[in-house]
Amino acid sequence: MLYRQRTLETPHGDLETPVLFPVSNVGKRSSDNTPAYADQIPDLRTAMVNARAIRQREPQWERLLDGSSLRQEMGVPDDTIVFADSGGFDFHTETLDTTPEKTLETQIRIDADVFGTVDLPLSREDRQAKNQRRINESIQYALAASDAHEGDSLLFASVHGHDPETVRNSIRYLDRHGDFDGFALGSLVPIRTDYRKTTKLILAARLATDKPLHVYGLGGLVYQPLLLYLGVDTFDSSSFIRSAGNRNYLIPGFGGREMHRIEGLEYLPCPCPVCGPRTTEAVRADRNLLVQHNLWALTIELRRFRYMIAAGEDIESYLELRFQGNDVTHRAYRMAKQQVRRLA
C-alpha cells in the first residue's frame, strides 16, 4: 500500500492530506450549484474552483476586482483552502483563451492556496500526434507558470498522458526544469472505466515523484479508496452534484442507487445530518438535500479509510470487503493491488 499522510503549508493554513477538494461552482445560479457545506462538515475546509469560469462571470469578477473576496462570494470561512485549476477541462472542446500569466493573475486575485497550471486535456478520439502536441504544450505552459510564479501559494504542474512512460517522463522533466510544489494528473475522467489503465497511470505519477500528487476529477465514491491506496495526496470531485442531478443516492461501500428504486423504506440507512432526521420521501423530494447527503457520503468514505489506518487495521482486507459487492470495482482493486505488490 502506498497510502501516506502529510501536512502541506498553505497561505490559509495547514492542509492535512489525503484530502478531498469538493468542486465548487461558485457564482453559478443554475441547478448544479454547490451547496453550503463548510459549516456542516467540519473536516471539509477545502474547495476546488475553476479560475477561468470565475473570471468569465463578469458581475462576479467585477466584485472581486472591487475588493470582494472569493470566500465571501462562496459563503465559506476565511480559512477555507482553495485549489484553483485553470479550467483545463473546458479546453477539451473550446479554444485556449488564456495564458499561464493570465491564469496566475486570476489565481492570485481570488487568493487561491493551490494553483493548477494551464493544461490541455487529452481525448481518446484525437490522433496520437494531436494528443502529443497537447502534452508538450501543457508542459511548456507549466514551465512558463513556474517562471512567473512567486509567493506562498503552492504551484502544481498539470500533467497528461495515456501511457505510464509519458506521465513518468513528463513529471521528471518538469521537476528538473521547473519549480513546482506538486503535480496534478489529468485526462483520466474520459478513461475512468478502464481501471487497469487508469491505475497504471496514477502509479506511474506516484512513483515519478515524492512531491504531493493531485488527481483531477476522480475523487468520487468508487475511486476514492483506490486513490488512497495508491498514495494520492489530494483529489477533487463533482460527483456529489452530478449524482444528485440523476437522483442517485450515494452510499459508502455500495456506490450510487437510483432513488426511485428505493421503496417501502421510511428512513434511509445513512445517519448523516441530512438523512438522520428526515424521511426517505423528504430527501427524495429535495435535490439540494440529496446533494448535501452525497457530499457527506464522500466524506464518510474518507473518514472510514482514515479510521482503518488509525486503528492499525489490515487495509487490503478492508478493501477486499469494501469492493466485494461489485465485480468491476473488485477487479479494479485486485489489479491495483497486483501493481502495488510488484513494487514491494
Side-chain angles (χ1 to χ4, degrees), residues 208-318:
T209 179
D210 189 50
K211 289 183 176 178
L213 176 65
H214 181 90
V215 167
Y216 285 131
L218 284 190
L221 210 53
V222 173
Y223 258 104
Q224 197 180 115
L226 288 175
L227 299 182
L228 296 168
Y229 182 72
L230 295 172
V232 175
D233 301 283
T234 63
F235 35 87
D236 64 90
S237 178
S238 61
S239 65
F240 60 103
I241 304 172
R242 289 182 286 103
S243 293
N246 294 324
R247 290 296 189 269
N248 278 339
Y249 181 81
L250 300 183
I251 310 173
F254 291 89
R257 292 290 184 274
E258 295 174 352
M259 288 218 73
H260 70 84
R261 296 183 182 276
I262 303 174
E263 297 178 351
L265 196 64
E266 186 175 2
Y267 290 97
L268 291 160
C270 177
C272 79
V274 177
C275 302
R278 293 182 176 86
T279 64
T280 299
E281 193 51 43
V283 177
R284 193 199 324 261
D286 190 328
R287 180 187 174 280
N288 286 333
L289 290 178
L290 190 52
V291 176
Q292 291 169 8
H293 155 76
N294 284 346
L295 187 52
W296 265 107
L298 297 185
T299 304
I300 291 168
E301 186 77 63
L302 181 54
R303 285 185 181 184
R304 280 185 180 177
F305 204 104
R306 287 173 174 158
Y307 167 78
M308 299 301 287
I309 293 290
E313 299 291 341
D314 181 344
I315 293 299
E316 291 189 346
S317 296
Y318 166 65

Side-chain angles (χ1 to χ4, degrees), residues 42-79:
D43 50 343
L44 212 54
R45 290 293 179 91
T46 51
M48 167 66 79
V49 300
N50 179 327
R52 175 176 181 263
I54 292 171
R55 187 159 185 153
Q56 289 191 332
R57 291 177 196 127
E58 195 166 329
Q60 183 180 62
W61 183 242
E62 291 297 328
R63 290 195 299 273
L64 291 169
L65 293 178
D66 287 341
S68 178
S69 79
L70 176 70
R71 290 164 182 79
Q72 287 174 339
E73 295 282 325
M74 295 169 68
V76 299
D78 290 338
D79 61 354

Side-chain angles (χ1 to χ4, degrees), residues 313-333:
E313 299 291 341
D314 181 344
I315 293 299
E316 291 189 346
S317 296
Y318 166 65
L319 291 178
E320 286 284 350
L321 181 65
R322 166 68 179 74
F323 289 120
Q324 69 177 2
N326 184 305
D327 289 341
V328 174
T329 54
H330 196 207
R331 283 199 301 274
Y333 164 62

Side-chain angles (χ1 to χ4, degrees), residues 17-319:
T17 68
V19 70
L20 166 70
F21 283 83
V23 169
S24 177
N25 295 318
V26 56
K28 271 196 172 183
R29 297 289 180 256
S30 63
S31 60
D32 61 349
N33 210 337
T34 310
Y37 59 85
D39 293 334
Q40 284 79 34
I41 307 179
D43 50 343
L44 212 54
R45 290 293 179 91
T46 51
M48 167 66 79
V49 300
N50 179 327
R52 175 176 181 263
I54 292 171
R55 187 159 185 153
Q56 289 191 332
R57 291 177 196 127
E58 195 166 329
Q60 183 180 62
W61 183 242
E62 291 297 328
R63 290 195 299 273
L64 291 169
L65 293 178
D66 287 341
S68 178
S69 79
L70 176 70
R71 290 164 182 79
Q72 287 174 339
E73 295 282 325
M74 295 169 68
V76 299
D78 290 338
D79 61 354
T80 300
I81 296 173
V82 173
F83 189 134
D85 69 12
S86 69
F89 191 75
D90 297 338
F91 307 139
H92 184 69
T93 54
E94 298 178 30
T95 304
L96 179 68
D97 57 3
T98 187
T99 64
E101 294 76 13
K102 186 176 179 181
T103 294
L104 275 177
E105 176 189 304
T106 306
Q107 291 162 329
I108 292 169
R109 172 66 66 176
I110 64 178
D111 204 14
D113 298 274
V114 187
F115 300 167
T117 60
V118 174
D119 58 318
L120 299 174
L122 312 183
S123 169
R124 300 182 80 168
E125 289 71 37
D126 286 342
R127 292 176 179 272
Q128 185 176 353
K130 181 177 180 180
N131 277 335
Q132 186 59 53
R133 186 165 62 249
R134 293 171 75 88
I135 291 169
N136 295 338
E137 288 175 347
S138 294
I139 288 174
Q140 295 309 312
Y141 295 143
L143 292 175
S146 172
D147 290 340
H149 177 248
E150 53 187 28
D152 296 329
S153 294
L154 307 181
L155 182 67
F156 279 28
S158 302
V159 177
H160 301 280
H162 276 173
D163 65 87
E165 185 178 7
T166 298
V167 169
R168 189 164 44 243
N169 290 343
S170 296
I171 289 177
R172 289 174 176 166
Y173 180 85
L174 286 165
D175 219 7
R176 285 197 302 274
H177 296 279
D179 184 10
F180 301 102
D181 301 291
F183 296 89
L185 183 61
S187 295
L188 299 180
V189 172
I191 61 170
R192 63 185 181 279
T193 56
D194 188 340
Y195 289 99
R196 181 185 293 274
K197 185 172 186 175
T198 302
T199 54
K200 280 186 174 180
L201 294 174
I202 295 169
L203 261 180
R206 175 66 290 156
L207 298 177
T209 179
D210 189 50
K211 289 183 176 178
L213 176 65
H214 181 90
V215 167
Y216 285 131
L218 284 190
L221 210 53
V222 173
Y223 258 104
Q224 197 180 115
L226 288 175
L227 299 182
L228 296 168
Y229 182 72
L230 295 172
V232 175
D233 301 283
T234 63
F235 35 87
D236 64 90
S237 178
S238 61
S239 65
F240 60 103
I241 304 172
R242 289 182 286 103
S243 293
N246 294 324
R247 290 296 189 269
N248 278 339
Y249 181 81
L250 300 183
I251 310 173
F254 291 89
R257 292 290 184 274
E258 295 174 352
M259 288 218 73
H260 70 84
R261 296 183 182 276
I262 303 174
E263 297 178 351
L265 196 64
E266 186 175 2
Y267 290 97
L268 291 160
C270 177
C272 79
V274 177
C275 302
R278 293 182 176 86
T279 64
T280 299
E281 193 51 43
V283 177
R284 193 199 324 261
D286 190 328
R287 180 187 174 280
N288 286 333
L289 290 178
L290 190 52
V291 176
Q292 291 169 8
H293 155 76
N294 284 346
L295 187 52
W296 265 107
L298 297 185
T299 304
I300 291 168
E301 186 77 63
L302 181 54
R303 285 185 181 184
R304 280 185 180 177
F305 204 104
R306 287 173 174 158
Y307 167 78
M308 299 301 287
I309 293 290
E313 299 291 341
D314 181 344
I315 293 299
E316 291 189 346
S317 296
Y318 166 65
L319 291 178

